[in-house]
Amino acid sequence: MFCLTGARAATRLTPQRVCAVFPAARAPTCQRSAARTAVSSAASSSAASSSVGAGGGGGGDDESASDAASAPRGVVVTAQANYLRVVVNSDAVRGIHAEERMKQFEDAKKRAVEANAVEDVAKLEAMMADEGATELLCVARALLKKIKRKVLVGDEVILSGIDWVESRGMIDDVIPRRSELIEPRIANVDQALLVFALEQPPLEAKQLTRFLVSMEATQVPFTLVLNKCELLSELEVADWRARLEGWGYDAKIISVATGEGVEELEAALKDKTTVLAGPSGVGKSSLINRLRFKSALTNALESEAEGSDECDGDDDDGDGDGAENTAPKYITDLDIEGGGGGRLKRGKRSVEDDVARNNLSTLDLQSVKGVGSRSGRGRHTTRHVTLLRLEVGGFLADTPGFGYPSLEGFDTNKLAMCFPEIRNAIANSDVRCTFSDCTHREEPGCVVVDECWEEQRYDLYYELFAEVKKIAENERMAYGRESRVRYKSASGKDATRMEAKLETKSHRRVSRRSSRMETSDLTSEALDHDDDDEQDDDVDDDDESR
């Protein structure tokens, strides 16, 4: 054996010496060419087999891709803290995932049978036979949190690691949204109901205008709904209707208490995802309860009224000192606590009949409270966004009430197009404004004349314009700041992935040198201050001696 290394090997290993050392190298040229041909054919066959193997691997990739494509999908119906509830329809579980689901149930049933847990066996059999939707308690994977991708109520998500027996899972990814609202935070809505009350709390033009502008900016179709019409006269209701028509809105007048206009509104919700938005105390949760459980609530009120009438009859037969009938008259007169579950407080705004209370306790009622007795304003009973299923089909989202929506992300051009008065004036005019950047605030040659505006409405536009302009200036000053994410190359052609980025220098410690210099500066300042005090004391002593 020869072991030749380095430059000496390159100089000493000549073709003649190779032939002398390896006899096979002295074979005829035809034999060597035949050998090369055999080697090349073997290499070709190896490449072909490897390509076949790669094709087989591609088939495996196709299978894994199909498994990923058939991964269970669901809709986020509520979010609290780090936990999200996701509803998965039975038809969304297919292929290997359906087999895995049945296997989990069968294994759990087998363990329950071995443990002689009869109730657990019956429960598992019922879950296996149930072909309806399943609600899972999920958490979002850490990667979504790292890249700042927030999961919203209404999102369609891809799930993994599902424990069907314990109804738990993990959100692996979020399907691209078709729409998104900032206030309230919800995704994939088809339409919105902007709910306000005509009275209790009173309707204010400033607050209503701000909500309308915020909803116009989302470009989601919405309907303005005015509730509690039973608290105003017909003339007052007609005045508000005419005023809003001048603004460019056809408001729906309803009464959740009496049911006026609710059926017409319910027909527009069928097979759609609808979000309810508006301030607190306007009746959003009461409207949802009426749409979902009208018959149960009505029966409870009727039974309570019958019991109250019997008590009044007994008092009339006696000494005539019976108490005044204070039984709840309308659905909105009931106080429901707990954000669901139908728990009713004891008191005048409740149902005392035990049978009716038990019937309501089985329903998923939304929390409801009356307006404040002193302030006349609504109370914050709804704490988070919840997506609820309707019997007619579709979903209805209950949202927390808030006072004034934010105008962040607006610019002056976008704000102007959120007012129907400006849009209609431009659309109905044969000419355009003289200036291309017209703000429609009394510029010469503006087609939006004073006759297009209600006086208070124009003042509100002027006020919002100044606020949006100030916000835009602040955003322009902060434009140079670094973003919170960065993009890095990933596997694949032109592929990138997004990662979270630490805030600039937020993770760095102060150096010892800087700390010492700062301490030295503080010490010198303190000494200088002491010297000044001593000089002042000497001057005071000299003055006293004189």
Side-chain angles (χ1 to χ4, degrees), residues 179 181 188-193 220-223 265 268-270 272-276:
S179 63
L181 298 183
N188 299 328
V189 296
D190 299 317
Q191 61 182 358
L193 296 181
V220 174
F222 72 95
T223 302
L265 193 64
L269 307 179
K270 185 177 180 181
K272 293 183 179 180
T273 301
T274 308
V275 58
L276 272 67

Side-chain angles (χ1 to χ4, degrees), residues 74-75 86-90 93 101 105 127 130-136 159 162-164 167 389:
V75 177
V86 181
V87 172
V88 182
N89 293 326
S90 58
V93 185
R101 177 176 180 271
F105 281 126
M127 295 174 67
D130 186 11
E131 297 182 356
T134 304
E135 186 173 298
L136 304 176
L159 303 174
I162 300 177
D163 185 347
W164 295 102
S167 299
R389 190 181 295 274

Side-chain angles (χ1 to χ4, degrees), residues 7 22 58 67 106-107 115 125 139 152 172 174 230 244 312 437 441 473 499 508 511 513 522:
F22 300 102
D67 291 341
E106 290 173 356
D107 293 344
E125 289 178 350
V139 294
L152 303 179
D172 195 59
V174 180
E230 77 280 359
L244 292 173
D312 292 342
D437 58 347
R441 296 185 303 164
E473 291 176 355
E499 291 185 353
R508 296 184 181 178
S511 65
R513 181 179 180 183
L522 293 175

Side-chain angles (χ1 to χ4, degrees), residues 110-182:
K110 182 179 179 181
R111 292 192 298 268
V113 170
E114 293 175 353
N116 198 21
V118 180
E119 295 182 358
D120 292 343
V121 172
K123 182 179 179 181
L124 289 170
E125 289 178 350
M127 295 174 67
M128 294 172 65
D130 186 11
E131 297 182 356
T134 304
E135 186 173 298
L136 304 176
L137 182 63
C138 301
V139 294
R141 62 180 301 191
L143 179 61
L144 297 178
K145 300 178 182 178
K146 186 177 180 181
I147 63 177
K148 308 294 183 182
R149 185 180 298 176
K150 186 174 180 61
V151 183
L152 303 179
V153 174
D155 271 331
E156 186 179 359
V157 295
I158 299 176
L159 303 174
S160 63
I162 300 177
D163 185 347
W164 295 102
V165 178
E166 297 294 335
S167 299
R168 297 179 181 272
M170 183 178 66
I171 296 177
D172 195 59
D173 200 1
V174 180
I175 305 299
R177 299 161 181 156
R178 62 178 184 271
S179 63
E180 179 181 353
L181 298 183
I182 303 300

Side-chain angles (χ1 to χ4, degrees), residues 348-423:
K348 63 180 182 179
R349 290 181 57 86
S350 181
V351 175
E352 301 299 328
D353 184 70
D354 293 334
V355 176
R357 293 179 68 88
N358 292 334
N359 292 336
L360 293 179
S361 64
T362 61
L363 304 178
D364 186 20
L365 293 170
Q366 297 303 105
S367 180
V368 174
K369 288 184 180 179
V371 296
S373 57
R374 294 183 179 180
S375 63
R377 298 285 178 178
R379 301 173 181 175
H380 296 285
T381 54
T382 303
R383 304 294 182 181
H384 53 274
V385 181
T386 307
L387 210 58
L388 305 167
R389 190 181 295 274
L390 293 173
E391 293 184 359
V392 297
F395 290 94
L396 199 60
D398 191 13
T399 62
F402 49 95
Y404 288 89
S406 173
L407 297 180
E408 293 185 1
F410 276 74
D411 56 31
T412 53
N413 294 330
K414 183 178 180 180
L415 176 67
M417 291 299 102
C418 291
F419 281 80
E421 297 95 330
I422 297 177
R423 295 200 307 264

Side-chain angles (χ1 to χ4, degrees), residues 3 14 23 46 66 82-83 95 124 166 170-171 174 221 256 263 271 273 275 278 303 353 360 377 380 438 449 469 545:
C3 183
T14 60
S46 175
S66 63
N82 294 327
Y83 297 95
L124 289 170
E166 297 294 335
M170 183 178 66
I171 296 177
V174 180
V256 177
E263 293 184 0
D271 298 330
T273 301
V275 58
S303 62
D353 184 70
L360 293 179
R377 298 285 178 178
H380 296 285
C438 181
V449 295
K469 187 176 180 180
S545 62

Side-chain angles (χ1 to χ4, degrees), residues 195-244:
V195 184
F196 271 78
L198 289 165
E199 190 65 30
Q200 294 185 9
L203 183 58
E204 299 177 356
K206 180 178 180 179
Q207 186 183 41
L208 177 58
T209 296
R210 199 177 184 96
F211 269 91
L212 289 171
V213 168
S214 177
M215 195 60 67
E216 290 274 5
T218 63
Q219 298 183 352
V220 174
F222 72 95
T223 302
L224 177 59
V225 178
L226 300 182
N227 186 25
K228 304 184 182 182
C229 63
E230 77 280 359
L231 300 179
L232 294 182
S233 64
E234 295 182 359
L235 181 60
E236 292 173 319
V237 173
D239 289 342
W240 267 111
R241 188 195 297 272
R243 185 179 182 184
L244 292 173

